[in-house]
Amino acid sequence: MDCVYKNPSAPIEERVKDLLSRMTLDEKIGQMTQIERGVATLSVITELSIGSILSVGGSAPYEDAPSEAWADMVDGFQKAALGSRLGIPLLYGVDAIHGNNNVYGATIFPQNVGLGATRDADLAQKIGMVTALEVRACGINYNFAPCVAVCKDPRWGRCYESYGEETELIRKMTSIVTGLQGQPPPGYPKNYPFLSGSDKVVACAKHFVGDGGTERGINEGNTISSYDDLERIHIAPYIDCISQGVCTVMASYSKWNGCHLHASHFLLTEVLKEKLGFKGFVITDSEALDRLYHPHGSNYDQSILTAINAGIDMVMVPFRYQLFLDHLRCLVESGKIPMTRIDDAVERILRVKFVSGAFENPLSDRSLLDTVGCNF
């Protein structure tokens, strides 16, 4: 093949390098952008080389839409992406956090706090397997799960998303990552993203880091601790996720010692990427950059500059995508965000797309529809 990146037999890093070398700046920053399905017109996807789409807050094709309707919708988006100049497929993300909970007729499981009460890592892994199947039946290849927060204060309004208050319990329940993505074989590269096949989904360990340890349990609050305590209590579960090949990590809305996680070069780059060796990509939470300054959405230029230079690779915009792209382009062209940082982000995103088989299997597998809601 003339294009190495289109050759499924070529080594992934060679495919990444080849595709990156062919991309314009606009195509690169498009890949760094995740937008809501409601604003994702086919022309926007094709012309802007959008990298990812998501369903915000359970946004669906229509009320009580079954898996087949989701597959029709996602396939339409994927075909638009494949029609772009380089034909880079999308990652479509959903919050399938206790089963494919946005889809009518899907199998629903207890929230994480209930699963944590079982102390059953094998059960968590099986739930991951079932969830992956039912998500893929919808044509969806990216799941914003698991939440590996260590809940240290039950006043936290999202404590049900945590498996519990003990770090060792959370570490044990990270087995769900293997259920979602599959088991890396012996000798697989350490800390490298992994997906075993087209019946698995890209997982996302979240919310990095300390979201369950905020002062007085305030949501999106401030976790006050030494680095040693942060590592021992809150970072530890991420080490287990990374060792299982988790493909993505989502940054937390919260702060650590007064610093927004989305703006922390120390935690996102020096710790997560360099010390822990994470090779996948880091994504923001929804509209997280709008929350870095008050009032909401103000000082947007500085928000983008700070977050991208801190180590954010993909931004869950999800609505003001054109404003985001315009600001990001100007920041790169002015040299405030170095091209090396953009290339690193896009390399990580492309790596996950190649690992996940998105280039080889971009469209839904309709044979999986029969698995939805069946006895496993």
Side-chain angles (χ1 to χ4, degrees), residues 23-230:
M23 297 174 71
T24 65
L25 174 59
D26 283 346
E27 287 167 334
K28 290 176 181 179
I29 63 176
Q31 285 300 300
M32 296 172 65
T33 306
Q34 185 179 66
I35 67 175
E36 212 284 321
R37 56 152 218 100
V39 297
T41 65
L42 302 186
S43 61
V44 163
I45 296 168
T46 302
E47 293 168 11
L48 300 182
S49 190
I50 295 297
S52 185
I53 297 175
L54 81 156
S55 289
V56 174
S59 168
Y62 54 84
E63 188 175 358
D64 294 340
S67 298
E68 187 172 7
W70 281 82
D72 290 341
M73 177 189 71
V74 177
D75 280 354
F77 290 145
Q78 285 287 18
K79 288 174 183 177
L82 297 174
S84 64
R85 186 177 76 90
L86 294 170
I88 304 174
L90 296 161
L91 291 176
Y92 192 105
V94 292
D95 280 297
I97 53 177
H98 57 117
N100 198 13
N101 42 268
N102 298 310
V103 177
Y104 186 78
T107 306
I108 303 301
F109 297 99
Q111 293 278 6
N112 286 352
V113 68
L115 296 181
T118 71
R119 269 73 172 169
D120 192 334
D122 290 338
L123 177 62
Q125 183 173 332
K126 289 176 182 176
I127 287 172
M129 293 171 63
V130 173
T131 302
L133 279 171
E134 297 200 359
V135 169
R136 286 307 293 254
C138 294
I140 295 166
N141 52 12
Y142 187 13
N143 184 12
F144 304 129
C147 176
V148 292
V150 181
C151 181
K152 305 306 288 186
D153 192 323
R155 292 176 292 182
W156 183 36
R158 298 178 67 173
C159 62
Y160 62 90
E161 292 187 47
S162 168
Y163 292 109
E165 63 184 352
E166 299 173 356
T167 299
E168 288 308 309
L169 172 60
I170 313 303
R171 295 185 68 177
K172 183 178 181 180
M173 302 302 278
T174 63
S175 58
I176 194 171
V177 171
T178 293
L180 291 167
Q181 295 191 162
Q183 177 71 54
Y188 191 77
K190 184 179 179 181
N191 303 336
Y192 197 84
F194 177 78
L195 207 79
S196 65
S198 58
D199 59 345
K200 301 295 183 182
V201 293
V202 169
C204 181
K206 66 182 189 182
H207 309 84
F208 191 83
V209 60
D211 49 338
T214 59
E215 189 178 23
R216 300 192 305 279
I218 295 173
N219 190 42
E220 303 179 24
N222 187 28
T223 297
I224 301 172
S225 76
S226 66
Y227 174 74
D228 287 344
D229 283 347
L230 186 75

Side-chain angles (χ1 to χ4, degrees), residues 346-361:
V346 178
E347 283 177 3
R348 290 170 176 274
I349 293 164
L350 295 179
R351 180 178 297 128
V352 169
K353 289 188 176 186
F354 284 121
V355 163
S356 69
F359 281 82
E360 285 67 56
N361 299 291

Side-chain angles (χ1 to χ4, degrees), residues 197-363:
S198 58
D199 59 345
K200 301 295 183 182
V201 293
V202 169
C204 181
K206 66 182 189 182
H207 309 84
F208 191 83
V209 60
D211 49 338
T214 59
E215 189 178 23
R216 300 192 305 279
I218 295 173
N219 190 42
E220 303 179 24
N222 187 28
T223 297
I224 301 172
S225 76
S226 66
Y227 174 74
D228 287 344
D229 283 347
L230 186 75
E231 184 175 60
R232 177 176 58 85
I233 298 169
H234 298 287
I235 293 178
Y238 289 90
I239 297 173
D240 295 279
C241 292
I242 293 168
S243 71
Q244 294 174 68
V246 74
C247 288
T248 73
V249 170
M250 184 183 294
S252 176
Y253 285 134
S254 60
K255 303 174 184 177
W256 175 57
N257 294 337
C259 177
H260 282 282
L261 264 296
H262 283 83
S264 177
H265 183 274
F266 172 68
L267 289 175
L268 296 181
T269 296
E270 296 176 44
V271 174
L272 178 60
K273 293 181 177 180
E274 295 175 1
K275 182 177 182 179
L276 303 187
F278 176 60
K279 303 294 194 302
F281 70 80
V282 179
I283 188 170
T284 72
D285 209 330
S286 184
E287 292 188 324
L289 302 195
D290 294 330
R291 301 173 188 234
L292 294 182
Y293 290 91
H294 296 287
H296 184 91
S298 62
N299 208 2
Y300 198 45
D301 211 50
Q302 186 63 37
S303 297
I304 296 171
L305 174 65
T306 302
I308 300 299
N309 280 342
I312 292 294
D313 302 310
M314 181 179 283
V315 176
M316 194 183 292
V317 179
F319 299 105
R320 301 193 299 169
Y321 61 87
Q322 192 62 64
L323 181 67
F324 168 73
L325 287 167
D326 290 344
H327 278 269
L328 180 54
R329 184 186 305 106
C330 288
L331 288 166
V332 177
E333 290 175 343
S334 69
K336 293 180 179 179
I337 296 177
M339 185 57 73
T340 52
R341 174 74 274 272
I342 298 298
D343 285 348
D344 173 64
V346 178
E347 283 177 3
R348 290 170 176 274
I349 293 164
L350 295 179
R351 180 178 297 128
V352 169
K353 289 188 176 186
F354 284 121
V355 163
S356 69
F359 281 82
E360 285 67 56
N361 299 291
L363 303 180

